[in-house]
Amino acid sequence: MRIIMRRISASKLRFLSLFTAMSLILVSSLFLGTQTTHAASYCQVTYSVTNQWTGGFSGNIVIQNTGSTAWTSWNLAFTFPASGQVVTQGWNGNFTQSGQNVTVTNLSYNGSVAANASVTSNPGFNGSWTTSNPVPTGFTVNGNACNGSTSPTPTPNPTSTPVGSTPTPVGPTPTSVPATPTPTPPPGTHVANPYAGAQGYVNPDWAAEVQAGAAATGGTLGQTEAKVAQYSTAVWLDRIATVSGGTGVTRTLAGHLDAAEQQASSSGKTIVITIVIYDLPDRDCAALASNGELTVANNGLATYKTQYIDAIAATLSLPKYSNLRIAAIIEPDSLPNLVTNLSYTKCAEANSSGAYVQGIQYALNKLHAISNVYNYLDIAHDGWLGWSSNFQPAVNLITSTVKGTTAGVNSVDGFISNTANYTPTTEPFMTANESVGGNPVRSSTFYQWNQYIDEATYDADMRTAFIAAGFPSSIGMLIDTSRNGWGGANRPTAASTSTSLETFVTASKIDQRLARGNWCNQPGGLGARPQANPAPGFAAYVWVKPPGESDGASQLIPNNEGKGFDQMCDPTFHGSQQVNGGNLTGALPNAPLAGHWFQAAFDTLVQNAYPAVS
Ligand code: BGC
């Protein structure tokens, strides 16, 4: 995994947020089953009851800034229609209730909301009710009336009450995501969002590594680390042996699916398992740390198809797994490398041979044919493709690749950004185009005139661009938030007051990397916990890169996995002008091979978690 930053001159920049505002409003209805017809001038609130049982319920509130001015804080007010409705526990906001009047104010991390954006880490709560649980209808934000909308309330069903009689919180630390409003689709149905109403698969092997590391660490940190084992992470199929078995593979794909079935039967819930399809020939063509077992030169495309994709498809289509939801992350970094890195020999070869495009088309065809599989194609991240000179070419290449499949644009369910990277979902204290000392934030040294400074805005615009290119508006975005939290002692708590752009950006940004091009073993923090429907247009935040697994060795380590040594993983190395402005790599020292357990990195991620692990 790596990124390459490409500089472009300011004159080439142009704005890309064509239909962003419109699409955000439209998608809120798609994802929450609501009927929204027009935007208010200040705000829109979508209140949904995500689960309900006798005497209790869970709620989710999406707050959108539909005005033209960014908010630095927000204060939401609404009134419960029935007297017995009480908020018992809230998250991602300060909840207070007086009589039937409820007020929610932002927390430190989600107060800033750009125009046409939604509150990130949207507030949710558990509540109780007595005679009835009607949905509120009037909402204000900062004293301004909003357009409100509501999603259908699930039918009370005491037998499906969350374990015991205590509802499972679905806030900052969910192991489960809110249940889908009724009616629940039959198992195996291809739903709009596989993450909604499903519980994420917990990889027992990763959880065991977390637990073992936590036990060895001990003390308060060890206790905190142990809690992380409850979260869902993706299963990386990074070589044929992970599918069919072989040396060093303790659990094959079928073994993971069997474990997912066990989690489904013991929890009584639908399980969504995220797998990563990651074995293209000439893999990771612009870097070395995650090179793979197949090469174009050795006819790797044929092997990829017959021994890798066919084997995966044969396993996934077994009837015994048809009640699982299987989200497939398709080939991180591959097509993005063809957009920006053709100067690298391996990337040029992957391009001219057609190996990446044809391999991906083959994978999409085979996997889309299985109704309980959901394809999410990788779109790198904004620190790579965010410049306008890269953005539309990436959209074009990805679109033409997908349109070349049998089902065309319908062969994908959405796109994923930030896979195994560290870019924040949102920079809470500034926006890309905000002017400081007469210059926009994005013109600073750190952002290099990139159009974007965070994933939320990048993904929203990518989604809009794909819809404009012919994709259905049902596509949902995913962000890998496993390591983009950037908490800890160095996290700013407010925007800087400096009027010097460089000082302002350095003191305001939560991304603490030395340069945005640094991608290997960075001292980030765990980000938003896995959750469904975090914002309009977003299917989920997912943990694709399992926290604690290395991005690459910090020195040459002989191995039989095809992994190379990439100097971007060496803390003493200064990169290059092109990759990271010649800064130090910022990589943590003494790292093992990519994918291997790296306890010191895990310690750092937990210490810098945001929100903190509790
Ligand atoms: C590595 C894979 C590994 C994955 C998840 C990638 O960078 O190349 O081998 O499975 O990360 O840790």
Side-chain angles (χ1 to χ4, degrees):
M1 305 291 301
R2 84 166 322 178
I3 76 157
I4 292 291
M5 305 209 316
R6 170 170 285 190
R7 302 274 170 76
I8 55 169
S9 67
S11 62
K12 286 191 189 162
L13 295 171
R14 60 193 162 86
F15 289 90
L16 289 156
S17 51
L18 302 173
F19 306 111
T20 311
M22 193 171 76
S23 69
L24 283 174
I25 290 158
L26 290 176
V27 264
S28 70
S29 61
L30 278 165
F31 278 83
L32 295 168
T34 58
Q35 298 299 320
T36 305
T37 51
H38 64 284
S41 60
Y42 191 80
C43 49
Q44 171 156 321
V45 172
T46 304
Y47 173 107
S48 25
V49 175
T50 53
N51 199 3
Q52 180 168 312
W53 56 96
T54 306
F57 71 110
S58 300
N60 186 53
I61 306 172
V62 175
I63 306 169
Q64 189 182 348
N65 177 354
T66 55
S68 54
T69 313
W71 303 339
T72 53
S73 64
W74 49 265
N75 178 323
L76 167 74
F78 62 89
T79 302
F80 279 131
S83 60
Q85 293 173 291
V86 177
V87 173
T88 54
Q89 177 195 18
W91 48 88
N92 292 335
N94 284 311
F95 284 74
T96 51
Q97 184 166 355
S98 170
Q100 289 165 233
N101 299 326
V102 178
T103 304
V104 192
T105 57
N106 65 274
L107 297 181
S108 59
Y109 57 84
N110 66 354
S112 292
V113 188
N116 288 321
S118 296
V119 171
T120 53
S121 302
N122 51 270
F125 64 95
N126 288 325
S128 57
W129 56 279
T130 50
T131 50
S132 66
N133 187 29
V135 294
T137 50
F139 303 89
T140 62
V141 170
N142 299 336
N144 299 280
C146 306
N147 279 350
S149 58
T150 54
S151 62
T153 303
T155 309
N157 177 3
T159 59
S160 69
T161 302
V163 185
S165 57
T166 311
T168 308
V170 291
T173 57
T175 46
S176 60
V177 290
T180 310
T182 53
T184 305
T189 308
H190 197 95
V191 296
N193 178 358
Y195 292 93
Q199 180 170 294
Y201 169 64
V202 177
N203 178 346
D205 307 326
W206 174 78
E209 289 194 289
V210 171
Q211 295 285 13
T217 301
T220 313
L221 178 59
Q223 283 174 6
T224 307
E225 289 182 345
K227 296 177 185 170
V228 180
Q230 67 181 296
Y231 295 113
S232 176
T233 53
V235 172
W236 287 66
L237 304 175
D238 64 349
R239 54 197 193 277
I240 292 166
T242 60
V243 184
S244 309
T247 314
V249 175
T250 49
R251 198 183 301 258
T252 60
L253 173 60
H256 282 290
L257 297 173
D258 290 339
E261 288 292 353
Q262 282 166 10
Q263 291 176 18
S265 58
S266 62
S267 68
K269 296 186 174 162
T270 300
I271 296 292
V272 56
I273 176 171
T274 305
I275 60 174
V276 184
I277 307 297
Y278 192 51
D279 202 24
L280 277 173
D282 285 7
R283 188 179 74 191
D284 203 20
C285 63
L288 301 169
S290 284
N291 288 167
E293 64 188 351
L294 304 178
T295 61
V296 170
N298 284 340
N299 203 17
L301 181 59
T303 311
Y304 179 80
K305 290 177 178 176
T306 56
Q307 292 182 37
Y308 181 69
I309 295 297
D310 286 356
I312 292 171
T315 302
L316 297 184
S317 55
L318 291 174
K320 63 178 173 176
Y321 301 134
S322 63
N323 60 333
L324 296 173
R325 294 181 187 168
I326 302 161
I329 307 301
I330 308 293
E331 296 293 354
D333 288 2
S334 54
L335 295 178
N337 266 321
L338 301 190
V339 177
T340 65
N341 291 326
L342 292 179
S343 59
Y344 290 77
T345 308
K346 289 284 182 195
C347 296
E349 187 178 57
N351 188 47
S352 61
S353 65
Y356 277 11
V357 167
Q358 289 168 32
I360 286 171
Q361 288 174 333
Y362 191 84
L364 291 176
N365 280 335
K366 286 283 176 177
L367 299 181
H368 175 68
I370 307 166
S371 67
N372 58 323
V373 176
Y374 301 78
N375 287 328
Y376 291 90
L377 193 48
D378 186 73
I379 55 166
H381 57 90
D382 76 272
W384 182 347
L385 298 178
W387 287 275
S388 358
S389 57
N390 298 344
F391 188 104
Q392 195 59 44
V395 170
N396 295 346
L397 175 63
I398 292 167
T399 300
S400 67
T401 300
V402 179
K403 283 186 174 173
T405 63
T406 309
V409 292
N410 295 318
S411 67
V412 301
D413 297 86
F415 299 92
I416 178 160
S417 80
N418 204 43
T419 304
N421 205 273
Y422 297 85
T423 312
T425 299
T426 193
E427 277 291 346
F429 304 122
M430 58 191 176
T431 59
N433 293 306
E434 177 180 343
S435 179
V436 178
N439 291 301
V441 160
R442 64 192 174 85
S443 71
S444 61
T445 304
F446 192 69
Y447 294 114
Q448 296 284 318
W449 283 101
N450 195 310
Q451 197 78 35
Y452 301 92
I453 64 171
D454 59 37
E455 292 297 283
T457 50
Y458 170 73
D459 280 23
D461 284 359
M462 271 281 172
R463 185 172 177 280
T464 300
F466 282 121
I467 293 169
F471 284 84
S473 57
S474 56
I475 54 172
M477 309 302 283
L478 304 176
I479 299 179
D480 182 357
T481 60
S482 68
R483 307 185 298 182
N484 75 350
W486 294 107
N490 294 332
R491 183 186 172 98
T493 54
S496 163
T497 53
S498 175
T499 53
S500 151
L501 179 64
E502 294 299 329
T503 308
F504 175 88
V505 167
T506 304
S508 300
K509 66 182 172 61
I510 60 166
D511 185 338
Q512 298 297 312
R513 284 178 290 187
L514 298 174
R516 286 181 104 203
N518 287 347
W519 54 268
C520 194
N521 297 322
Q522 298 297 294
L526 303 173
R529 308 300 114 91
Q531 56 192 280
N533 287 327
F538 287 82
Y541 294 154
V542 283
W543 281 14
V544 176
K545 179 72 182 185
E549 293 186 5
S550 173
D551 292 317
S554 43
Q555 58 193 356
L556 184 64
I557 300 177
N559 66 91
N560 58 7
E561 299 178 29
K563 306 268 170 66
F565 164 53
D566 196 296
Q567 286 187 293
M568 288 301 291
C569 301
D570 174 356
T572 66
F573 179 67
H574 286 265
S576 64
Q577 197 58 36
Q578 187 193 12
V579 173
N580 71 344
N583 285 283
L584 279 169
T585 64
L588 297 171
N590 305 317
L593 287 176
H596 291 223
W597 188 254
F598 185 12
Q599 182 65 34
F602 188 68
D603 294 345
T604 304
L605 289 169
V606 172
Q607 284 164 324
N608 290 342
Y610 200 90
V613 176
S614 58

